[in-house]
Each structure stands twice: as structure tokens, then as C-alpha cells.
């Protein structure tokens, strides 16, 4: 389904690279706890994707809204500069 768009120019930053760069900026400014930005991206993506998968498969019975709230709270705890 991506064939119609053609090749992505080499100068285009891919979503993961933009996400990592955003995390890196937040860490540099002190808004986010300093850690490896690649690992940080993996943590966020992993928390979100696993919550979605578990919710879809009935492992998590909470509403989508509640699951989203819990994931956001977990991300905030992981990245809080206070630790």
C-alpha cells in the first residue's frame, strides 16, 4: 500500500528519528530524565503497543480510555526528571 507514494527521499527524517530527536531535546533541556534516547523511544513504543495488544486480546479489560490514561501515567513516571 506504500507503493503509490514512491521512494522516501534520503533527506526525509523518518518518524522514529523524529521521535528520538524530540526525546533527546527534552532530555537536553531537563524536561525529561536523561537516558539513552533510543531506549527511551523503545520504552514508550513498547508500553503503548503492548497495552493495545493486551486490550485487543482481552487480557486488559479496562476501557480504552483507562488503558490510555494508565500508559500516559507510566510514561510520565519513567521520564520525570525527578526520577
Amino acid at each position: 500500500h506504500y507503493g503509490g507514494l514512491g521512494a522516501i527521499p534520503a533527506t526525509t527524517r523518518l518518524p522514529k528519528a523524529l521521535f528520538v530527536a524530540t526525546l533527546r531535546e527534552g532530555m537536553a533541556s531537563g524536561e525529561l530524565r536523561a537516558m539513552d534516547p533510543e531506549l527511551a523511544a523503545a520504552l514508550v513504543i513498547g508500553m503503548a503497543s503492548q497495552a493495545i495488544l493486551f486490550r485487543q486480546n482481552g487480557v486488559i479489560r479496562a476501557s480504552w480510555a483507562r488503558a490510555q490514561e494508565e500508559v500516559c501515567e507510566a510514561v510520565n513516571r519513567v521520564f520525570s526528571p525527578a526520577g
Side-chain angles (χ1 to χ4, degrees), residues 35-72:
M35 65 173 67
D36 180 304
E38 297 282 344
L39 175 59
L43 290 170
V44 173
I45 293 166
M47 281 191 270
S49 63
Q50 288 302 304
I52 291 167
L53 178 66
F54 278 37
R55 176 63 174 74
Q56 287 176 333
N57 290 319
V59 176
I60 296 172
R61 290 179 170 55
S63 68
W64 284 109
R66 184 64 187 152
Q68 177 184 358
E69 183 179 316
E70 290 289 342
V71 169
C72 289

Side-chain angles (χ1 to χ4, degrees), residues 1-21:
H1 64 294
Y2 292 106
L5 297 175
I8 297 173
T11 57
T12 300
R13 293 178 74 184
L14 297 177
K16 184 210 149 251
L18 290 171
F19 187 38
V20 169

